Structures are given as structure tokens and as C-alpha cells.
């Protein structure tokens, strides 16, 4: 400042050059980031079960595999515990493109198509080996149905065999009368009706609250679900009946799938094959682990008595006949082909 006047220093040629260079470098960096963002694609993957459940852990490993196999070109982010969409809404969300990929217990949608309930026919396939043989026959048919619903089948993994949970000792169907029973599918609701129990629709993420508040008092599920939700805080008995092994299926919105290049599709299907094998082994390993966990939690765990099993098998025959009637020739062919393999 001189005599009350401000003087500004005139920028030199070097200053102007540096300013232009800085702007150019900033613009170049922004363009590079934009190009990378355009190349990388992010898929949100809703899951119904807790992050610690083996299905959710398997899905997280699948997502990591896809990220690595595509060099970050496709990022899949899992959202467990129904945090993005409630379990019952996941399939519809993927069909309509609200999310590009997701996992769902397929038998929960038996009301849409009877074939979705093929894995819940009581006492048809009661072991992992038998269930995998059933799926060899049924899986391609399920994939066809899903394709008609704008979904691309990627992989599926069975749950451990289903058993019965109660908050009291149960020796016969008569002991079940009036008990509020958590249902998650057409088959479980029908089982409740035929045993005199009262079906209550409860998603996996809501199990703990349902038992804590008395909304439900029993359920048929795997040792896995009971262990994950610490049901020993509210229930006392788990009876191994090996009624069936339901499956979780991972599928992709067909439009989203069509938007991937061939190399990315190949990478995803390769990771899906790994997830299928890894998930099956995890389900087998988890079976005894979770039964032991229920015992450690204080529950009485063991095989159901012969009298109860016999009564349940009679009910199973009724449910099988009903399923065959609803599934028609296609359903009968699946069951016949499976039995021919035994």
C-alpha cells in the first residue's frame, strides 16, 4: 500500500503457466476418476439372514470372488439381515430391478409356482446326498421358471435338515394343539394346520423378537437358524426329524445380467460354481456344530420319538399328495425321476 492506494503485482508468465498446468492436471484426474467409475459397476445384494449365517458368509465370499475375478469391474455389496429388503420382498425387488442380485429361500414362493416348493415335500429327500440328487432333477426346472420371471439362476445352497422347536416337551401331534407356529412358506403353514398348530408368518430376521414377545412359540427350521438367533433364550426343545432340506437360491435380474459383457458373466458364473460347492460343505459342517451349540445354550436336543415321527410321516403323505396335485405332470415327473435314482 502506498499513499492509501493498493498495488497488485502483475502475474508473470510462469505464474500463468503453473495455474493452467494445475487446472489441466485437476481436469485430467477428474476425467480418469470418471472413466474408472463408469467402468466399475456396483451391485447391492439383499440377504434375509444374519451376517454370521453360513449362507450370508458364503454370499460375502462370492461377492469378494467376483470383485477379484473382474479386477474390481463389478463390485457386489451384501446387505444381510433383511437390512435392504425384507426377506419376503427380495425376490420381487430383483425381478423389478430395484436391486440387481439377491438371495431367497425359494420355497417361500411356492404360492407363485408349486415347483418352488419341491424341496419342502416332507420326508422325500431327508439327507444331503438325497437332496442333491433331487436338485439335479428339479434345479433346471426351477431355473426355467425363474427365467420366465426375468431372473437368471446363479447358484443355490441347501439348509441343514429341518427339525422342530418347542418351549415344552412334545411326544405326539396331540401335544402340538393350539401352539403358535412360525411359518415361512406354504409347506410350513400347511404343516401347522395339519398338526393343529396356529401358523404365524415370521421372517428370519424377526424370529428372536417373535419368540421374545410370544407372537410365536415354535417352528420347524434347521439347527442353523435356531443357533444364529439364540432361540435357547426362549425355547427349550429341538427335535431332529429331518423333514426336508430347503434351499436358498441366488439369482440376478435378467436385464442387469444382459448388461454385463461376456468376460464378466463368465467370471460371475465361475464364482457361483465355487459358492455352490463351498456352501454345500458349509451346510454339512454347520449341521452338527449348531446342534451342539443349541445344547450348550441349554436346550434339549435329540431325535424325535418314534410315535411322533410316525404321525408326522402320515401328515407328510397328505402334504405330498397335495403338492403333486398342485404341481401336475411336471411335478410328478420330478418326483418319479428322483425316486428312480434311489
Amino acid at each position: 500500500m502506498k499513499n492509501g492506494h493498493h498495488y497488485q503485482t502483475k502475474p508473470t508468465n510462469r505464474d500463468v503457466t503453473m495455474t493452467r498446468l494445475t487446472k489441466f492436471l485437476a481436469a485430467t484426474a477428474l476425467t480418469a476418476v470418471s472413466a474408472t467409475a463408469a467402468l466399475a459397476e456396483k451391485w447391492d445384494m439383499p440377504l434375509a439372514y444374519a451376517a454370521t449365517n453360513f449362507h450370508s458368509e458364503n454370499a460375502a465370499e462370492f461377492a469378494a470372488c467376483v470383485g477379484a475375478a473382474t479386477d474390481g469391474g463389478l463390485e457386489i455389496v451384501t446387505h444381510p439381515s433383511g437390512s435392504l429388503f425384507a426377506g419376503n420382498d427380495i425376490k420381487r425387488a430383483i425381478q423389478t430391478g430395484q436391486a440387481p442380485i439377491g438371495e431367497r429361500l425359494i420355497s417361500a414362493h411356492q404360492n407363485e409356482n408349486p415347483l418352488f416348493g419341491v424341496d419342502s415335500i416332507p420326508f422325500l429327500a431327508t439327507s444331503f446326498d438325497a437332496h442333491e440328487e433331487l436338485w439335479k432333477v428339479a434345479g433346471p426346472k426351477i431355473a426355467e421358471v425363474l427365467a420366465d420371471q426375468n431372473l437368471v439362476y446363479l447358484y443355490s445352497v441347501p439348509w441343514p435338515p429341518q427339525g422342530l422347536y418347542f418351549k415344552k416337551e412334545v411326544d405326539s401331534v396331540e401335544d402340538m394343539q393350539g401352539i403358535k407356529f412360525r411359518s415361512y412358506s406354504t409347506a410350513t403353514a400347511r404343516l401347522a394346520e395339519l398338526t393343529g398348530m396356529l401358523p404365524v408368518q415370521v421372517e428370519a430376521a424377526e424370529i428372536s423378537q417373535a419368540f421374545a414377545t410370544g407372537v410365536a412359540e415354535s417352528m420347524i427350521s434347521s439347527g442353523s437358524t435356531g443357533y444364529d438367533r439364540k432361540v435357547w433364550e426362549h425355547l427349550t426343545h429341538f427335535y431332529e426329524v429331518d423333514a426336508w432340506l430347503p434351499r436358498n437360491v441366488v439369482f440376478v435380474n435378467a436385464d442387469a445380467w444382459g448388461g454385463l459383457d461376456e468376460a464378466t458373466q463368465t467370471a460371475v458364473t465361475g464364482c457361483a460354481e465355487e459358492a455352490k460347492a463351498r456352501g454345500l460343505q458349509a451346510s454339512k459342517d454347520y449341521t452338527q456344530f449348531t446342534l451342539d451349540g443349541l445344547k450348550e445354550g441349554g436346550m434339549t436336543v435329540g431325535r424325535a420319538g418314534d410315535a411322533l415321527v410316525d404321525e408326522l410321516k402320515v401328515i407328510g403323505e397328505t402334504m405330498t399328495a397335495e403338492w403333486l396335485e398342485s404341481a401336475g405332470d411336471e411335478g410328478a415327473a420330478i418326483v418319479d425321476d428322483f425316486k428312480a435314482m434311489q
Side-chain angles (χ1 to χ4, degrees):
M1 181 184 290
K2 188 176 181 181
N3 297 327
H5 297 284
H6 290 276
Y7 291 93
Q8 289 184 325
T9 304
K10 184 179 180 181
T12 64
N13 289 338
R14 182 176 181 277
D15 291 333
V16 172
T17 301
M18 287 301 293
T19 300
R20 286 175 179 167
L21 180 60
T22 301
K23 288 180 178 178
F24 172 75
L25 290 173
T28 303
L30 186 61
T31 302
V33 169
S34 298
T36 303
L39 288 172
E41 190 166 354
K42 177 184 170 183
W43 281 8
D44 289 311
M45 183 178 185
L47 309 171
Y49 302 91
T52 53
N53 179 269
F54 76 95
H55 282 290
S56 300
E57 290 178 342
N58 191 38
E61 288 190 61
F62 162 73
C65 175
V66 170
T70 61
D71 293 324
L74 177 58
E75 178 190 7
I76 297 177
V77 180
T78 60
H79 299 270
S81 284
S83 57
L84 189 60
F85 291 99
N88 205 38
D89 298 327
I90 288 175
K91 182 172 173 288
R92 173 61 59 182
I94 312 307
Q95 282 179 252
T96 57
Q98 296 174 68
I101 185 172
E103 178 188 61
R104 182 60 175 146
L105 180 79
I106 199 62
S107 57
H109 296 279
Q110 184 178 336
N111 59 329
E112 296 175 24
N113 189 305
L115 293 187
F116 288 149
V118 69
D119 60 10
S120 300
I121 300 173
F123 306 108
L124 176 65
T126 59
S127 68
F128 282 105
D129 289 345
H131 182 76
E132 287 305 299
E133 289 186 347
L134 173 63
W135 202 252
K136 283 178 187 175
V137 180
K141 302 293 184 185
I142 300 296
E144 287 176 15
V145 177
L146 291 172
D148 289 338
Q149 298 181 338
N150 200 42
L151 295 168
V152 176
Y153 176 99
L154 274 188
Y155 72 88
S156 67
V157 173
W159 285 89
Q162 303 289 283
L164 288 163
Y165 289 86
F166 293 101
K167 58 193 301 183
K168 67 172 186 176
E169 185 176 341
V170 171
D171 297 316
S172 67
V173 168
E174 188 178 352
D175 293 338
M176 302 179 189
Q177 302 300 306
I179 291 176
K180 287 179 279 187
F181 181 82
R182 175 247 170 170
S183 70
Y184 60 79
S185 65
T186 302
T188 52
R190 186 63 178 139
L191 178 66
E193 292 169 1
L194 291 170
T195 54
M197 294 189 286
L198 307 174
V200 183
Q201 178 75 27
V202 178
E203 287 295 328
E206 302 160 355
I207 285 175
S208 299
Q209 184 181 5
F211 287 132
T213 57
V215 169
E217 304 168 299
S218 64
M219 67 176 177
I220 186 167
S221 194
S222 66
S224 169
T225 300
Y227 177 79
D228 290 340
R229 296 297 169 183
K230 300 179 180 178
V231 298
W232 53 81
E233 295 175 355
H234 312 289
L235 305 179
T236 57
H237 288 72
F238 177 77
Y239 292 99
E240 299 170 59
V241 295
D242 298 347
W244 60 76
L245 290 77
R247 287 184 91 94
N248 277 13
V249 174
V250 172
F251 37 63
V252 178
N253 174 276
D255 300 315
W257 181 255
L260 300 178
D261 59 42
E262 189 176 344
T264 303
Q265 288 182 350
T266 300
V268 173
T269 52
C271 290
E273 280 299 309
E274 290 181 20
K276 173 188 173 184
R278 182 176 58 241
L280 174 59
Q281 188 58 51
S283 189
K284 291 178 179 179
D285 294 343
Y286 212 41
T287 300
Q288 191 58 49
F289 171 80
T290 54
L291 294 183
D292 291 342
L294 295 176
K295 288 179 187 175
E296 289 168 13
M299 293 189 74
T300 300
V301 177
R303 306 298 304 179
D306 291 343
L308 176 57
V309 170
D310 288 344
E311 288 181 308
L312 290 173
K313 285 188 174 178
V314 171
I315 288 170
E317 288 171 7
T318 300
M319 291 175 64
T320 300
E322 291 174 349
W323 184 86
L324 287 168
E325 185 177 353
S326 65
D329 293 341
E330 196 168 21
I334 291 173
V335 172
D336 289 345
D337 288 349
F338 165 69
K339 287 183 174 178
M341 298 166 67
Q342 302 306 297

